[in-house]
Amino acid sequence: MTLILSEIAVGNTKNQTQLEAWNTQLIQWGAKLMQARWAMVNDMNEILKANYTQVSSQPDPLRIEYMPNVACDAPETAKICLEQKLADISGKEKWRGTSLAGPHRDEFVFYIGSRDIRRYGSRGEHKSVLVSLKAAESRFLHRASGTPPIILLDDLYAELDNDRAGQVMSLFKDKSQVFVTGTSLDYKKLFTSSEAEESGVYFVENGVVSKQ
């Protein structure tokens, strides 16, 4: 679509009918994607709230707010909203040569209480939010597919104090296989004694992998 719009912007209008076909698809499937995102956020927020409270022990809840690029009062009217928006900005898109509206421009904003963590979150809070989100995604995917996903937690130890790190692995008790990487030797703080027995610890040094 962007290629067609860029051609129209420089005066090549022979693909105008193709643009209309693309817009039809964007309206149909874009509206479905917007509705799915609304539903997902509603489902995820309860899980996120519990996860973040467990990891951080903070009273302020964690939540996601879905910010669709196309303003719409309700999921049921997403198709109408998207269709109207594309009609309103058709000339602007052709002039600028790019797509300006649709779910590809949506955003998700994370809040701790009333604070937008992109602006006001500490590094430790960002890490706690990331871990809470991973655990929520895991439960969401497990429930949707019936199969526990494989999870990679990269550099998990960074920015987490001992108390938070000790709570992390308890979020992943849905039989998922979890790979944790890090540079800290204080990895044992992540596991209870029973979890440690079920876990394998490997070190990588100078390209050589060895099991503890």
Side-chain angles (χ1 to χ4, degrees):
M1 177 181 288
T2 298
L3 177 60
I4 296 172
L5 286 167
S6 64
E7 290 178 351
I8 293 175
V10 297
N12 183 358
T13 60
K14 66 179 182 179
N15 292 327
Q16 180 73 38
T17 55
Q18 290 187 35
L19 178 61
E20 294 172 359
W22 277 103
N23 276 339
T24 298
Q25 293 296 308
L26 177 58
I27 292 167
Q28 178 182 352
W29 297 105
K32 291 181 181 296
L33 182 55
M34 291 169 65
Q35 291 165 348
R37 285 174 174 172
W38 261 304
M40 179 200 68
V41 165
N42 289 337
D43 286 344
M44 292 273 285
N45 270 331
E46 285 301 315
I47 304 174
L48 275 178
K49 179 181 178 181
N51 287 353
Y52 186 75
T53 299
Q54 183 171 335
V55 172
S56 68
S57 299
Q58 290 189 12
D60 293 333
L62 170 65
R63 64 183 175 87
I64 311 175
E65 185 170 332
Y66 174 42
M67 306 290 287
N69 167 256
V70 176
C72 203
D73 293 332
E76 296 78 15
T77 60
K79 186 174 181 179
I80 297 172
C81 296
L82 187 53
E83 185 174 15
Q84 184 62 54
K85 181 67 173 182
L86 289 174
D88 291 343
I89 65 170
S90 176
K92 188 176 183 180
E93 285 190 324
K94 293 172 184 177
W95 175 67
R96 292 186 57 178
T98 190
S99 174
L100 299 175
H104 51 293
R105 289 180 172 267
D106 290 349
E107 290 190 16
F108 296 89
V109 181
F110 289 80
Y111 291 92
I112 297 175
S114 60
R115 290 185 293 123
D116 179 348
I117 67 167
R118 292 182 300 180
R119 299 182 179 181
Y120 305 110
S122 68
R123 295 175 68 179
E125 286 175 330
H126 276 258
K127 194 71 173 186
S128 296
V129 168
L130 177 61
V131 171
S132 299
L133 179 61
K134 284 285 188 182
E137 289 175 338
S138 172
R139 288 184 58 184
F140 186 84
L141 292 172
H142 190 178
R143 186 174 60 192
S145 67
T147 302
I150 297 174
I151 299 166
L152 172 62
L153 301 176
D154 185 37
D155 202 13
L156 180 61
Y157 314 95
E159 318 304 339
L160 292 179
D161 56 35
N162 287 351
D163 290 337
R164 293 193 186 200
Q167 297 295 325
V168 166
M169 295 309 296
S170 62
L171 296 177
F172 300 94
K173 291 185 175 180
D174 59 353
K175 299 182 180 180
S176 293
Q177 186 176 13
V178 183
F179 291 88
V180 179
T181 67
T183 57
S184 170
L185 293 177
D186 193 16
Y187 59 87
K188 292 182 180 180
K189 66 186 179 183
L190 293 175
F191 306 103
T192 64
S193 58
S194 60
E195 289 167 345
E197 293 176 0
E198 299 174 356
S199 305
V201 179
Y202 296 83
F203 292 95
V204 181
E205 186 174 1
N206 296 324
V208 178
V209 181
S210 59
K211 191 176 188 303
Q212 190 210 14

